[in-house]
Amino acid sequence: MNLANTRRTFLRNGLGTLGMFALGSLLDAETPAKDKWQGVVHPLHYPQKAKRVIFLYQAGGPSHLETFDFKPKLLEMSGKGMPESFTTGQQIAQLQGKALNCFGPQYGFKKFGKSGQEICELFPHIGSVADDVCLLKSMWTEQINHDPAHTIMNTGMILPGRPSFGSWVLYGLGAETDNLPGYVVLMSTGKGGQMQPIAARQWSAGFLPSKFQGVKFNSVGSPVLYIDTPKGLSSDLQKASIDAVNALNKEEYSALKDPEILTRVSQYEMAFKMQASVPDLVDMSKEPQSMLDMYGAKPGDGSFASNCLLARRLAERGVRFIQLYHRDWDHHSGIKANIPIKAEETDKATAALITDLKQRGMLDDTIVIWGGEFGRTPMSQGDGRDHHIKGFSFMVAGGGFKGGLTYGATDELGYAAVENPIGVHDFHATLLYLMGIDHKRLTVKYQGQDARLTFTSGEVVKPILA
Amino acid sequence: MTRAHLLKSLPLLALATSLSAAPPPVDFNRQIRPIMSDTCFRCHGPDKSSRMMGMRLDLREEAIKPNATGHIPIVPGDPDHSEIIKRIFEPNPAKAMPPLMAHKTLTQAQKETIRRWVAEGAVYQGHWAYEPVKRPPVPELTNSSQLINPIDAFIQDRLAKENLTPSPEADRRTLIRRVTFDLTGLPSTPDEVEAFVRDKSPDAYEKVVDRLLKSPAYAEEQARHWLDAVRYADTAGFHGDNRFPAWPYRDYVLRAFRDDMPFDQFTREQLAGDLLPNPTIDQKIASAYNRLNRVSAEGGLQPKEYIAKYGADRVRTLSAVWLGSTLGCAECHDHKFDPFKSKDFYSMKAFFADIKETGLVSDRGANAWGSKLTLPTPDQQKRLADLDSQIAAAKAELATKLPASAEWEKTILSQHASGDLAWIYQRPISATSQNGAELAIYYEKPLDSNFYLSNSNGSTLMTEHKPGLGQVVVSGPNPDNETYTVTFKPGAGTWTALGLEVEQDESLPGNRLARGSDRFVLTELEASAGKSKLNFSLATEGDATGQMPENSPMTVIDGDSKTGWGISFGEARSPFLALRLTQPLTTTAETIITVRLHHDSTYRKATIGRFRLALSKSLYSWPENAESGVKLKARQGDDGVLTTAAERGLPIKVEEALKVSPDKRTDAQKKLIADHFTWSNPALTDLNVKIAQLETARGILQSQIPEVMITEATEPREVRILPRANWMDDTNEIVQPAVPAFLAKLDTGGRRATRLDLANWLVSPANPLTPRAFVNRQWRQFFGVGLSKAIEDLGSQGEWPTHPELLDWLAAEFVQPTWQAEGTHPWDVRHLLRTIVMSHTYRQSSLPDPQLDDKDPDDRLLARQKPFRVDAEVVHDTELAISGLLVDRFGGPSVRPLEPEGYLAAMNFPKREYSASHGADLYRRGLYTEWQRTFLHPSLLNFDAPTREECVVNRVGSNTPLQALDLLNDPIFVEAARNFAQRILQNGGHKIDQQINWAFEQAVNRPPTAREEQILADLHQQSLTTFKESPASAKQFTSIGESPVTAKFKPVDLAAMTTVARVILNMHETITRN
């Protein structure tokens, strides 16, 4: 790196705690060059299978027992007391101090595809792509309340201040676009479940510079905060103003030679590019009706389906990490009535996204994830289920995952992951592996540690890789 | 090794800048410890659980003993027989150290250094940060003309050794701008600059510094840094992230800096203000420090787990702020690099075990947030007492008229059985608005509704499609304030009360009831029958769950357009307001009743989204929130239509209570019946009205009295060491409060140590870390980086300070001033900062210097100053100050500047929309912005302000396109540009070149160059041309924001100048301190 040219850039810029290697690369990208951020992992630690991730985050804690994990034994025992051997000494959320009774699956399951994967009958569209998806039935986590559980699912730790998964990936690999943020967050709200809040911390860059944070797109107002030119100002004058700012900044640079000034110039240029590209990105009118129908999307409705379609458009444009939160999966009550609503909201669009990516040849290098922060108890909470962390399910597809595979299992009552359990860190390690990164080597010095996404554990789950 | 020896040794720079021919002996702390810490200690360090081969290298006596396989790691003086030397030089990668799995490599130079150190006798040193602070001698320099104070001696002594010379003092404009930014967080004004430039007296700069140090803005700026460290915020941080009462603590911090409170006192009061003898109000407020951690109100949390989380958070914060240490790492295991044991972590946590608290911290209602202190003025206190005694007297009088007779009870039940209590929903004829909202009437027409159905396990979102039966649905334009007018024809009859049912719907962002804000606020309700105004004696809501004290029903008939009825929390209900008519109203078939619903509160968009109107015939009809009707769903008809409560006119709970025999009723049931009896008994109306008015007045008064969370001590909870931080594991030992064992042992004579003992130790000579950590952190404010870069970690993995002697001199000087010490006191923050900014080192120029770029690219040797972008709040304040919008007001409740629509959409409990402040509160300093932890104001976040969910002592700084978009397009900055333009047109002369010159001086304290002037003049010309073609656009562009638009300027001129002003406000230089 050109030290003379990078002087001062990091002095105040909070990179004081980054390791030198990281710093060097960071500075390269912070320097005036128009080149986009290339990431710090050079060369890649492993051959890269996946270039990008689309995480369909089902927030609130979807029941594994009504989605991907069929438990006939639980059905048999429905209404009977949950054997104490399962529950003694285990964490309990709202059922603390209450009777623990088995609560059978509320819907039937079917076998789908050549692989014969067992999926709840409410998800026939996902069933139709069963041979492309891999079902992980042995997930577990350690946090039983939404907020900390989201935090560990996103950052690998429960303490605030850590970079989220998307930030790590963007920091490690950069993005293929400089007209759009490299890490985009979308959010939709449906019906049929309690809407839990989701803190902006979930897409924070933590101790990394904020250029790595997720940028949340909004369904009301401007798609990106402050992306709209002020009312009454023509785009020509906006352009002329930005040009003037940059001309003045270049004047200052010629006097002071502070490279930070040139970085500012390039950020204004990128801001202008974003102003131009975001409206085009969110304009669904160019999508054929058949495409809208396949997803079940109505432009402008802010639905999960529309977000899935938008996710594909973001992926096409080189965004590295796209996270779609879909809320209202918190079924403490009325699970029978509400699961079909959630299924209807997500099933078709999820399958459409996988199909669409496949048709475009993008599924091979795009990871699609479907899952939430935890699962739900096999025990009843009235006519619902409580939070559950010992076993739940994820669905993954594309990007180097083996299609048509079911991996891991919970016990016969769907309580604990007993066969090939996959912890959050294992899951993260596996995703990073597919993206070409050794999770133990993508580190930043923070509070005296070589901080990493997987904290102190995590094993790549090799059997689920194609 | 002695301290003196240590001080003589040359500090290390990351980039070696000089190589001398005869190297001095290897210095353990400077040269060996950083290498070993990074590459060896993880497996051969303090944490015995991860120690490999029983080998420990951080202690000499351990390192020279044979390990598990009989090899001796270090044989002092004999590298060839030392196992570590053999292993680090081992060519076979499978056997070499550090092992492959560690992904750590040693350079050849590092290996050689270790070998040489062993050869020289493997002399260990204690870690520098834990050694006592002794004031080092100030180097005596003979040949410097740029020596102002001891700081310069230390800096220049080192520079001389590197063959570098300090830079000259910066020019006066730069200097005053720099020091004003650094001390007050504001840019210097042209007048201040001129005065300084003209002042030829030798103490001109000193006068500036002393003026700044005495300004309230100094306290605001310094408080801001402290608030980051103690993670002060206005909201709880978990789950609903609701507002908690903390701002009086922020004001305490402001006063402490303004009044130059000694830092030792500041420490004691925050950690243990409540434990001081006869604590003052301020000392109690200070103890809010212990309550600033994130807390959760999530229903299903496990209290013990969260008690553990809160305690751990306190230890991490204390450790970072006072000790500059990462003690938090020892929550799971002994520290891997520093001598902190896991036991130290939990012993430290035990100091806080006496804080009265619960795991689940209620975030609503009277008991929200646990221990609180109210802060009434003497007048408020007196009024409160008056009201209380009047309320008590009126209630005592009422009590003499209770309980209801058995006969009355029977009447109620029989009228209920015959359906006479039911409220009759009215079919509106018209529904209109004053400010543009669109009102649609649904009667037969089916309506989609989405609402929560409550049950014992929480609530579930339900969907309905059924006739609206009189529902009015508001959509379209959403003005801040609005009045709805509805007319209906009730037909012939006699009526006793008017009802307003506010319908819950998921589509409504304001607690599912209002079109904005976190509540609806109905400020006044007026009605007339034909031409005659209807008078109401009493307003009630029956069940007032979710109501803030100031939002009581009586406010809608009090004639005061600022008070109002509203519901600000509590999900899943549709509140029902009942208004008792003073006289029963008799209508004919043709009578038209007109109802006006006024929403004139200061909460923006706190307007009702959906509602129905009803009348009752019976005196006995009582309001019931429609929610209970929804609960009746189990009894719904086959058509799927839900019954609503108001159709009953008798709350289910009251009905249940009435059916219990009087001697078996609970107190709550007795109260329900008494309330219903009071409402429905005309003989009690006057008394009832009186009580309601008094309680309303009390509620409004109460809402004006500030509250603050405080620390209340109670019987200490048991604190155990939790293996791997597992809160469910109760098997390990119980610990007592203690400071880290390797640092000190508190002598309390056997008494359990308290938070006060802890605070006393933190600021005692026995603890070297507090002054070092504090001084290092302060240094960063003035040079962009600490003397040790890792502000949060002075430990083994941190950075060896560039100038350890200076750091220690400053630490000693902070604790006991000696330089220009007149009028100072021990632990004098202002003195410390004054000493720093008075130094030549601080005053140096930051101009480019190729030689320095080459030799010291990071400026760690401080041969010059350096530019950096100002912090988020300072960006905001600078833009507003230059534009003339900034409102200078010290302290007070937090404010809500403008924020983009929908920004809080991901929040819930309650579901809410942001409601910006009005007037002056839109233009306060960034410090006062309400700190919403899970969704910090986006402009602050964009410029790297921390969310303060966790302690932050080292803000990240970045340069992103989102910052550019923010400065360009955020309405507050567009408004600032317009105001700046008004000032330019007003004061900047008449010609464009004069105006640009004037504006430049305002923004960056210098005139523009010819080229700069040309760039802006061209933009001005282009803007004029464009806006002349489209004057309507000019008007639109210049009417952004609430501040007044000066009428004397033509919109086209103002708009064109606004583009110029906006560009100046966007310059890098404007937000850079140079």
Side-chain angles (χ1 to χ4, degrees), chain A residues 7 195 201 333 445 450, chain B residues 38 104 460 864 908 949:
Chain A
R7 163 189 180 243
M195 181 180 88
R201 174 186 343 111
S333 61
K445 186 89 79 175
D450 293 318
Chain B
D38 200 38
K104 296 280 183 189
T460 307
R864 61 177 160 180
N908 197 3
E949 294 171 293

Side-chain angles (χ1 to χ4, degrees), chain B residues 800-811:
Chain B
W800 174 258
T802 52
H803 301 79
E805 307 86 351
L806 173 56
L807 182 57
D808 276 9
W809 185 87
L810 284 167

Side-chain angles (χ1 to χ4, degrees), chain B residues 432-648:
Chain B
T432 55
S433 77
Q434 187 178 307
N435 297 333
E438 289 155 15
L439 275 61
I441 299 163
Y442 287 80
Y443 201 82
E444 284 89 2
K445 199 164 52 161
L447 171 66
D448 280 321
S449 352
N450 299 293
F451 55 88
Y452 275 94
L453 172 72
S454 289
N455 61 29
S456 55
N457 296 317
S459 51
T460 307
L461 189 63
M462 303 299 293
T463 301
E464 249 185 18
H465 184 74
K466 64 164 198 178
L469 298 175
Q471 209 168 134
V472 178
V473 176
V474 190
S475 63
N478 195 1
D480 285 349
N481 296 110
E482 183 59 284
T483 297
Y484 306 150
T485 303
V486 181
T487 62
F488 58 88
K489 250 192 218 183
T494 299
W495 315 99
T496 61
L498 173 71
L500 168 68
E501 186 172 275
V502 180
E503 309 288 349
Q504 179 215 152
D505 194 80
E506 181 62 19
S507 64
L508 296 165
N511 200 19
R512 300 186 172 82
L513 297 168
R515 303 188 67 206
S517 188
D518 60 353
R519 67 189 75 181
F520 67 85
V521 183
L522 182 69
T523 50
E524 216 59 22
L525 185 148
E526 293 173 315
S528 55
K531 286 186 177 157
S532 41
K533 184 175 187 314
L534 296 181
N535 292 314
F536 301 106
S537 55
L538 188 60
T540 189
E541 204 223 326
D543 170 12
T545 310
Q547 205 155 72
M548 299 303 281
E550 68 273 27
N551 291 138
S552 89
M554 287 299 280
T555 54
V556 304
I557 53 170
D558 65 356
D560 183 339
S561 68
K562 287 301 156 203
T563 62
W565 173 60
I567 304 294
S568 35
F569 56 86
E571 287 77 33
R573 68 197 205 91
S574 296
F576 191 99
L577 175 77
L579 297 160
R580 162 67 34 88
L581 286 155
T582 314
Q583 300 289 333
L585 166 72
T586 302
T587 52
T588 68
E590 295 311 312
T591 308
I592 292 180
I593 294 184
T594 305
V595 175
R596 287 198 176 77
L597 305 178
H598 296 276
H599 306 86
D600 296 326
S601 94
T602 53
Y603 290 96
R604 292 170 194 252
K605 308 185 202 307
T607 50
I608 293 169
R610 295 180 170 203
F611 63 93
R612 291 202 280 182
L613 293 168
L615 290 173
S616 80
K617 289 179 182 171
S618 166
L619 274 177
Y620 303 116
S621 307
W622 210 42
E624 162 93 293
N625 298 316
E627 171 214 24
S628 313
V630 173
K631 278 184 181 165
L632 282 181
K633 187 162 182 285
R635 295 177 231 159
Q636 77 190 38
D638 294 338
D639 56 359
V641 175
L642 308 182
T643 350
T644 59
E647 286 166 332
R648 298 161 38 89

Side-chain angles (χ1 to χ4, degrees), chain B residues 57-84:
Chain B
L57 298 177
D58 62 314
L59 294 177
R60 189 174 196 266
E61 62 269 29
E62 294 286 328
I64 60 176
K65 286 200 301 217
N67 70 4
T69 54
H71 296 94
I72 301 176
I74 293 173
V75 182
D78 188 357
D80 293 343
H81 290 94
S82 298
E83 182 68 8
I84 68 162

